Amino acid sequence: MTDDREPRVPDEERAEAGAERFGRYLDALLAGARPSPDDIGSPDEAEMAHVAAEMAAAADRAGSTPDPAFVDQLRRRIRDADQGMTSVTEPLPIRPVVSDTSVARMRVTRRQVLQTGLGAAAGLAAGVLGAGLLRGEPTPRDPIWDDGIGLVAGEGAWVPVATLAELPRGAAVPFSTAAFNGYVVNDDGEIRALSSVCTHMGCTLQYRPEWRDLRCPCHAASFNLAGKLANSRAAWQAAGGYGGDDQAYPIELPPLIRPAVKVEGEQILVWTARA
Amino acid sequence: MKGEPVPHEREAAGVLEAIYDEHVVPIYRFIHARVGNRPDAEDLTAQVFMRAVEQLDTSRDHNQVTAWLYRVSQNLIADYWRALYRLPVIGTEQVAPGWEPAAPPGRSAALAEATQDTAADRVRSLLRSLPERYAQVLELRFLQRLSVAETASRMGVSNGNAKVIQYRALRMAALLDESDD
């Protein structure tokens, strides 16, 4: 004969504690709030949460209609992002890794044309389409891109952007032309021009002399003076870190566009569209 | 032409917004039916369309665009349950880089409605298959949206007891639900 008043067995106490904790999850869910994952204690309870979420949704027809304010706000966010002007607080979108061999083919997408800026768009598109016509003219010592495709077709011109005196080893000087903005850099004696448009969302890169990179103020991508993403996961792992950052840049990005550059006397000139 | 996006590109930007306007409500419903609360449904809906800005090829035909959106939604929902509750991976496929045709074509607002009906049917049949006390506690909590205290007083038990009953009811519901799938 058992005594009803004997101390409860530990199993039962555990069950009550679990029911109490899981009850908080249900209360939040049924109040239409965001339930806390901390109230889920086991894979079994995760299954229960899953069933509860589906039941709550099925029993709540009103909740299945989005808030019009949310719909409007998201439309604005999408419009902004589509124009390459995503806010700095936005979480990083995930993009599949782009392998090096496919970069050239992917270079001019709808996004990039928009990102590259209004003035550069026509020139950039023309540069790729007219690549066959352009081989050899102009004839910069430095390839314009790695594959030597011209950035500006037709009405281009060499425009002075800096002098050699302004560009000692390790220095970078920003320039602005009718078609694009960028930096001319002196990478240990080699003069190079780099677009200052981040190939992620089109923010304007800033030169950081201490790290010798072009840094994106929006999502902290860093490009080295060869125009390649320098703080990718792979680079991060290989070097054991990067530039005092506490994490690697999470996705691969195409390299920066490299406009043609040449030196005449003391002048450094880039090949750009006529104003 | 200088100083303006080329016309084709400007159209493309409008295309994305048109896709958004057509799909945002059904996609939201699709997601809400699976996560059950508004804040998470809004977060995931935003992720679907932000990913579309990055990855969706808007020149694809209508059915393929729709299928792509549902596919991304399904993957995000799977990630949501897996990540939030540390569930093992359950048959989720990654969205391939670029384009992956698969996925059911022609899903639309009608499907979201159908999903809702199917879900409601499933709840009803689930409740019918539970012991009476369990069905009652879920009915009061989920369908009538009563608080634990109200539910407890209707059932003539203590608050603590009501919580234990609803816990056990859901555990059994999860087991039945699993065997259904």
Side-chain angles (χ1 to χ4, degrees):
Chain A
M1 183 90 189
T2 48
D3 180 355
D4 278 349
R5 285 162 304 177
E6 85 183 280
R8 284 180 300 170
V9 291
D11 270 359
E12 226 170 300
E13 277 175 19
R14 230 184 2 251
E16 278 202 13
E20 180 71 35
R21 180 174 32 70
F22 193 79
R24 286 197 296 272
Y25 175 93
L26 278 186
D27 284 345
L29 179 73
L30 292 170
R34 190 195 303 269
S36 165
D38 295 342
D39 293 331
I40 303 294
S42 68
D44 275 353
E45 289 182 2
E47 293 290 346
M48 292 158 60
H50 206 148
V51 168
E54 290 185 0
M55 283 189 7
D60 176 23
R61 274 191 175 273
S64 75
T65 303
D67 180 352
F70 161 75
V71 172
D72 284 347
Q73 191 197 8
L74 182 56
R75 184 186 296 108
R76 277 198 300 278
R77 255 179 87 189
I78 283 161
R79 191 182 299 153
D80 287 352
D82 197 39
Q83 290 167 0
M85 297 186 293
T86 196
S87 115
V88 292
T89 57
E90 214 117 80
L92 276 167
I94 310 299
R95 183 152 60 173
V97 171
V98 178
S99 73
D100 271 341
T101 51
S102 64
V103 163
R105 186 172 48 76
M106 291 186 60
R107 258 194 185 123
V108 180
T109 62
R110 172 175 60 86
R111 297 213 46 68
Q112 282 169 313
V113 170
L114 288 169
Q115 286 165 10
T116 308
L118 304 177
L124 179 54
V128 168
L129 297 174
L133 304 173
L134 264 188
R135 290 275 153 75
E137 174 54 42
T139 50
R141 283 195 296 272
D142 226 15
I144 297 164
W145 290 349
D146 299 338
D147 46 7
I149 294 173
L151 179 57
V152 176
E155 290 292 292
W158 288 107
V159 172
V161 293
T163 64
L164 281 180
E166 290 173 316
L167 204 65
R169 282 170 185 254
V173 174
F175 68 83
S176 178
T177 73
F180 47 77
N181 298 334
Y183 283 88
V184 282
V185 301
N186 182 337
D187 187 8
D188 284 331
E190 191 177 344
I191 308 292
R192 204 174 284 135
L194 297 168
S195 158
S196 57
V197 174
C198 181
T199 54
H200 177 222
M201 299 298 281
C203 299
T204 302
L205 303 169
Q206 303 295 330
Y207 183 60
R208 300 193 304 178
E210 70 274 33
W211 302 108
R212 301 188 68 186
D213 66 7
L214 297 182
R215 177 75 156 190
C216 183
C218 291
H219 300 122
S222 276
F223 295 86
N224 62 26
L225 297 188
K228 298 228 159 63
L229 183 65
N231 57 346
S232 66
R233 283 198 175 120
W236 174 278
Q237 276 164 9
Y242 182 85
D245 294 351
D246 54 13
Q247 57 182 28
Y249 188 77
I251 56 177
E252 277 301 326
L253 293 178
L256 298 178
I257 287 165
R258 293 166 53 186
V261 62
K262 70 174 181 181
V263 178
E264 268 182 14
E266 276 297 299
Q267 289 289 343
I268 300 166
L269 306 99
V270 298
W271 179 254
T272 182
R274 285 187 198 282
Chain B
M1 285 284 277
K2 221 166 277 169
E4 291 279 312
V6 293
H8 167 73
E9 306 302 341
R10 199 191 301 139
E11 273 169 34
V15 166
L16 196 72
E17 223 172 301
I19 289 171
Y20 172 76
D21 284 337
E22 182 189 343
H23 290 97
V24 63
V25 171
I27 288 288
Y28 174 90
R29 286 189 177 154
F30 182 82
I31 292 171
H32 182 270
R34 286 156 181 77
V35 300
N37 75 86
R38 192 179 283 278
D40 285 332
E42 289 183 351
D43 273 7
L44 294 181
T45 304
Q47 282 183 48
V48 170
F49 287 99
M50 291 310 287
R51 198 173 283 194
V53 172
E54 285 286 302
Q55 297 177 9
L56 177 60
D57 178 356
T58 54
S59 67
R60 294 282 166 169
D61 74 40
H62 182 266
N63 280 355
Q64 286 178 310
V65 165
T66 307
W68 188 93
L69 290 170
Y70 280 98
R71 194 178 173 75
V72 170
S73 303
Q74 267 166 341
N75 286 331
L76 287 172
I77 291 161
D79 286 349
Y80 167 88
W81 286 107
R82 195 171 69 220
L84 208 52
Y85 306 126
R86 302 176 290 279
L87 284 174
V89 184
I90 312 157
T92 170
E93 312 134 51
Q94 290 300 310
V95 180
W99 182 254
E100 183 82 8
R107 302 181 96 147
S108 63
L111 176 116
E113 291 299 332
T115 305
Q116 181 101 48
D117 289 342
T118 313
D121 286 346
R122 245 176 75 196
V123 172
R124 278 191 287 274
S125 84
L126 200 54
L127 291 186
R128 274 198 302 275
S129 58
L130 289 175
E132 198 190 329
R133 293 289 269 179
Y134 289 176
Q136 188 188 5
V137 76
L138 296 184
E139 157 89 30
L140 293 173
R141 291 288 276 136
F142 283 80
L143 298 181
Q144 300 192 29
R145 298 276 160 152
L146 298 186
S147 68
V148 168
E150 290 164 329
T151 302
S153 92
R154 292 280 182 97
M155 295 180 71
V157 297
S158 71
N159 284 1
N161 248 328
K163 283 178 193 168
V164 170
I165 296 170
Q166 77 177 3
Y167 185 92
R168 291 181 179 157
L170 274 172
R171 191 162 62 187
M172 186 173 282
L175 289 172
L176 290 173
D177 195 53
E178 210 168 39
S179 61
D180 274 0
D181 289 342

